[in-house]
Amino acid sequence: MPERQSGQVRRISVVGAGHVGLVTAACFAELGHEVVCLDIDEERINQIRSGVLPFHEPGLPELVQKHIGKTLWFTTDHDTAIRNAEFVFLAVATPTTALGTADLRFVRSAARAVARATNGRRPILVSKSTAPVGITETLESILSAEANGSGPLTVVANPEFLQEGTAVRDFMEPDRVVIGSADIEARAAVGELYEPLKRPVLYTDIKTAEMVKYASNAFLATKISFINEIAEICEKVGADVRDVARGMGLDPRIGSAFLQAGIGFGGSCLPKDVRALSHLAAIYGSHPQLLNTVLEINAEQRRRLITRLRHVLGTLRGAKIAVFGLAFKPGTDDTRDSPAFDVIRLLEYEEATIRAYDPFAMEETKRFFPDIEYASDAYEAAAGCDAVILATEWQEFKDLDMRHLRSVMRRPVLIDGRNAWDGDEATNAGFLYFGMGVPDMASAQAEEITA
Ligand code: UGA
């Protein structure tokens, strides 16, 4: 066990150079610790060593650049990474299986490899990967069974609450740090690593810490699906969901965050974690009705948008549609579970022709949709199109010149899947504008366009 003195430089290993792993490694280096980050993907490690990060995350390249080779090292070799570590953070992916369960193969094999490399030492293993409640205890038994002469190892659950796009800030200024373990000393040692941040630390048992993570993501997803259901009602009764959300958000018991109506949530976390929690509940004999409805509403948001567009254009077969935004949200090049991808799939199903543009996520999208057209800016994407769908609210889309946009299009239809545009401005520029849960200024004129 490491000695527990505050302010001491610790030797930390981080397993996994993905979003969470890389941010964790760079931020612990920034806090003054000696950090080795390990990934089994040699190409990824070589890229990072040469200064190219595998994803877009503001502030991260600067941190890596500042500490690499001094207090931050990258390796593919377990012995090098684990040999001297006092803490080993596990930050490997837990994707979803076809059944909706979390795929734990990477976590298990990473834990085994770490255990074999311990070589008689007893680092504290800290699990950051989001995995079903109970997995941290499973890891404890895997590690203890495979540990190389070190005896039982302690595992601590320390879920992450990083948002892509603000992950560095979220790490350095967390709302809370949650640390779960039955071993009071081990969890206090992990707590000390975060002490310089001067933020609330919640100590719990392992399962509770794991549950805090799932419940937090599920609640955020629930807020989004809630406001999306309200948006649909707003559309029907002629109210404006944006002001409804503002009015609700002013109540501190509700809060204004995550009340942005639109085509729903995507990304590598919210959809996956709600599915996994729902599955977990079901196998324990519960009926997670609310969680299932949250997912259902989310899927429905994409369909609603396409149904509306079909209604406006008469048919989508042969229509030329521009999709603005491919990343699952602005500020990232991540397209995992992106709502834009669902929109593209639905448009393909309806036999529309698609031209897409995103400031950051084009390369990734081309791997999934090699056959659609791509443009090098928004105006080029919209040229000759029958409609534009806004799927990701990048600032550059908000800044577009509406009149110019109108002038390049064949038919003037804007479907604002993120309520990012000013409907009046769009209408004044000659568009039929449709937001999500905003009064339908365009319905009356829409008849003309189908004619
Ligand atoms: C999410 C959580 O917000 C983090 O706290 C958590 O640590 C992370 O998952 C994780 O588990 O690692 P992230 O996946 O980066 O973070 O994405 P969010 O910012 O939460 O956005 C998720 C989706 O919800 C996006 O598609 C976004 O466009 C959508 N969204 C968000 C809305 O549709 N409406 C809103 O009001 C807010």
Side-chain angles (χ1 to χ4, degrees), residues 402-417:
M402 282 291 157
R403 286 187 191 280
H404 183 40
L405 186 65
R406 166 70 194 93
S407 73
V408 301
M409 290 176 63
R410 183 160 67 187
R411 290 198 273 181
V413 178
L414 281 191
I415 306 277
D416 186 352

Side-chain angles (χ1 to χ4, degrees), residues 20 130 160-164 213 217 220 224 257-261 264-270 273 328-329 339 393 418:
V20 174
T130 304
E160 53 83 21
F161 301 100
L162 310 176
Q163 269 183 283
E164 287 186 26
K213 167 69 187 190
N217 273 0
L220 293 172
I224 298 169
F258 280 66
L259 285 182
Q260 174 74 44
F265 56 83
S268 65
C269 306
L270 261 46
D273 291 351
F328 82 92
K329 67 173 183 179
E393 69 277 32
R418 295 294 186 176

Side-chain angles (χ1 to χ4, degrees), residues 90-374:
L90 215 54
V92 294
T94 51
T96 313
T97 65
L99 274 177
T101 54
D103 183 346
L104 302 175
R105 281 175 301 171
F106 303 114
V107 180
R108 290 201 182 103
S109 69
R112 283 197 185 95
V114 168
R116 285 194 289 269
T118 49
N119 209 16
R121 297 177 51 84
R122 297 186 57 211
I124 296 175
L125 193 102
V126 189
S127 170
K128 274 212 171 282
S129 300
T130 304
V133 177
I135 186 64
T136 311
E137 286 180 357
T138 312
L139 288 183
E140 212 155 36
S141 50
I142 292 178
L143 282 165
S144 300
E146 303 233 3
N148 191 356
S150 49
L153 295 172
T154 304
V155 183
V156 174
N158 173 217
E160 53 83 21
F161 301 100
L162 310 176
Q163 269 183 283
E164 287 186 26
T166 54
V168 171
R169 193 192 65 204
D170 293 342
F171 188 98
M172 299 308 256
E173 300 168 29
D175 298 315
R176 78 298 209 189
V177 174
V178 177
I179 301 173
S181 174
D183 183 329
I184 309 273
E185 272 190 58
R187 71 188 198 188
V190 175
E192 276 173 16
L193 298 174
Y194 291 97
E195 220 169 65
L197 304 177
K198 308 253 173 289
R199 294 297 166 131
V201 179
L202 177 70
Y203 292 104
T204 68
D205 58 78
I206 287 183
K207 286 183 179 166
T208 304
E210 291 170 322
M211 198 63 196
V212 171
K213 167 69 187 190
Y214 272 117
S216 298
N217 273 0
F219 188 72
L220 293 172
T222 304
K223 269 188 113 175
I224 298 169
S225 280
F226 176 85
I227 201 65
N228 282 334
E229 181 154 293
I230 295 294
E232 192 183 352
I233 303 171
C234 283
E235 257 167 47
K236 302 250 158 75
V237 302
D240 187 331
V241 74
R242 295 166 301 186
D243 286 334
V244 172
R246 265 179 222 122
M248 289 169 61
L250 287 170
D251 182 335
R253 292 171 305 171
I254 298 173
S256 58
F258 280 66
L259 285 182
Q260 174 74 44
I263 49 172
F265 56 83
S268 65
C269 306
L270 261 46
K272 162 179 84 82
D273 291 351
V274 181
R275 267 184 231 126
L277 183 57
S278 160
H279 193 270
L280 184 80
I283 58 175
Y284 276 91
S286 292
H287 301 286
Q289 296 170 51
L290 179 60
L291 299 178
N292 292 340
T293 305
V294 164
L295 292 169
E296 225 172 85
I297 293 173
N298 200 46
E300 189 57 31
Q301 286 310 101
R302 280 76 140 157
R303 290 195 287 266
R304 252 171 23 86
L305 179 136
I306 297 298
T307 306
R308 192 172 223 200
L309 182 59
R310 190 192 318 113
H311 180 75
V312 175
L313 294 180
T315 175
L316 288 174
R317 179 174 295 153
K320 199 159 199 168
I321 312 296
V323 176
F324 283 7
L326 301 164
F328 82 92
K329 67 173 183 179
T332 176
D333 55 356
D334 195 342
T335 57
R336 284 176 289 177
D337 250 322
S338 176
F341 279 21
D342 286 341
V343 165
I344 291 174
R345 285 185 196 106
L346 290 167
L347 287 171
E348 280 185 328
Y349 181 76
E350 304 248 357
E351 296 178 44
T353 305
I354 302 151
R355 199 182 296 130
Y357 168 70
D358 185 285
F360 273 96
M362 302 272 273
E363 289 317 308
E364 193 57 18
T365 309
K366 284 177 187 169
R367 286 181 40 223
F368 291 93
F369 300 101
D371 298 329
I372 65 171
E373 295 176 25
Y374 292 92

